[in-house]
Structure formats: structure tokens, C-alpha cells
Amino acid sequence: MDMPRLTIAGREYNSRLIIGTGKYASFEQTRRALEESGAEIVTVAVRRVNISDRSKESLLDYIDPDKYTILPNTAGCYTADDAIRTAFLARETGLSNLIKLEVIGDEKTLFPDNEGLIQATKELVREGFIVMPYTNDDVVVARKLRDAGAAAVMPLGAPIGSGLGIQNPNNIRIILEAIQDIPIIIDAGVGTASDATVAMELGCDGVLMNTGIAGAKDPIKMARAMRLAVESGRIAYEAGRIPRKLYATASSPIEGIIR
């Protein structure tokens, strides 16, 4: 079945699932999960990649750059300056000028620092980066990020690594209604396949996840489940669900009924 592709900054992707690379038991398990997921974009934490000595084994040895778009991220950065510096490091070492921007504002919840996030987005866009910021589910912040030049906005479904699923679907719907010129990608909170399906049925353009797969009992099998869930949710969104009703409606026609 032909489906509209996900387009980010002019580049098209068949898969709407983006995979993180942390928490896997081994680089080989990461590679197998990525393969099973069908994802075409893979995000890597710059601080986890050995970019000072390429002669040693690295996560990048297991990610084919001809097959996947590598999306460096600024995980672990708590200020705009740190995030900007990390993005430049990624670009200068040849990783990419595409950046998943994280500016964390709270150590316990890992919620973003919105002020720092907007500041860093403006600066990085000015420097020629393609910026995909991780943010909360606030439409005001999402609009400011879009206006700052973000290539996509990635609101959380729930706190990072929580596996709670989409906690505020109405907030996500408001963001989707307000921003229709760039992709909206759920980032964080997905715990199992049904969470991914819900995100896609809401109309999100994609889902980014890491712990939901890497933390599963069988990450390879969960990677496949997430691929199918994202595809299923997107098809259901395009098909259009029936209206919710309080009372029953007969499934069979009532014309000609024998009395």
C-alpha cells in the first residue's frame, strides 16, 4: 500500500519510526533492533559516540550511513550553550548538521528548559543546522520553536523512559491543529505498541522511541511490534475512525425487517 512519506527538511522517508540507540545490551543488539524496526532515521547521543579515536569499536560501526540517516542528539545537556557546543561538535566531526536538540531543565523529570530550547534553536538554525527540538506538549512553546526555524517539533508523550504512553492526547491534538507546516513527532513516553498506535491515530507524523524497545524483555521482537504499530496507526488515521457515540447503533440495516 502506497502511503504518504514523512518529509523532514525536504528529505522523504518511508518509515515514520525513529529509533534511539541507548540502553541496548550490545552494539549488535542495537543493529538487529534497528533492522527489525524498519526505521530509516536513528538518533545517537553525541557524548556516547567515540569520535576522538575512530580506530576503536564504536556504535557508528553498526549503523550503515548509506542506509540510515544519523540524527545526533544533545542528550545530557542542561544549558543552551552546552547543547549548541555539542551540535557543533557533531557537525565538525562529520556526523551531520541535522540535530535532535535537547536542553534539559530538570534532573528528576528530564522535562525541557523551554527558554534555553528556543534560544538554542534560534542560534543553531542561524548557523545552518536542521533542528528537531524535543519539547513538552505546550502549543505555545511548539509555535515558538516552529517560528524559530525548527524542521520538526517533537513533543513528549510522557517523561523520557517512563513508558506511560500519551498522557495528554488533547494537548497533542491542539499542537497538531496549530502546526501543520512541519512534522509533529512524538518523542518520549511510548512504552508499548498500543502507545505508538495512539500517537499515530492522533495524526502525529512520526514517533521517536528508545527505552520502549531497548528496555523490553525481547528488544528485537518489540522493534518489530513498534514498526507494525506505527504503520497500523498511520493507516487508521488516514482511513478515519467512526464517531464516538453514547448509545448503540445497529450494525445491520433495519429496512425490510420481518415483524
Side-chain angles (χ1 to χ4, degrees), residues 206-222:
V207 179
L208 190 157
M209 64 182 74
N210 186 165
T211 307
I213 294 176
K217 182 178 178 181
D218 185 336
I220 311 303
K221 196 171 285 185
M222 184 60 86

Side-chain angles (χ1 to χ4, degrees), residues 32-45:
R32 291 180 59 204
L34 180 57
E35 185 77 23
E36 196 66 29
S37 73
E40 296 169 297
I41 306 175
V42 54
T43 182
V44 299

Side-chain angles (χ1 to χ4, degrees), residues 33-76:
L34 180 57
E35 185 77 23
E36 196 66 29
S37 73
E40 296 169 297
I41 306 175
V42 54
T43 182
V44 299
V46 176
R47 60 188 172 82
R48 288 189 65 236
V49 178
N50 183 1
I51 51 182
S52 59
D53 185 358
R54 290 294 181 91
S55 66
K56 296 182 179 179
E57 186 182 45
S58 166
L59 172 63
L60 296 180
D61 298 332
Y62 294 80
I63 303 172
D64 183 352
D66 293 328
K67 187 174 180 181
Y68 302 107
T69 294
I70 296 176
L71 173 61
N73 69 62
T74 63

Side-chain angles (χ1 to χ4, degrees), residues 139-150:
V139 68
V140 176
V141 177
R143 275 204 195 102
K144 289 183 178 180
L145 290 168
R146 187 271 311 275
D147 295 345

Side-chain angles (χ1 to χ4, degrees), residues 241-251:
R241 66 158 296 134
I242 64 170
R244 290 183 172 88
K245 299 176 182 176
L246 184 59
Y247 296 105
T249 303
S251 299

Side-chain angles (χ1 to χ4, degrees), residues 6 17 21 41 55 62 72 75 109 121 128 140 142 163 184 202 211 226 231 249 254 256-258:
L6 170 63
L17 176 58
T21 52
I41 306 175
S55 66
Y62 294 80
T109 62
T121 298
V140 176
I184 303 298
L202 285 170
T211 307
M226 292 298 191
E231 292 177 358
T249 303
I254 58 174
I257 191 170
I258 300 174

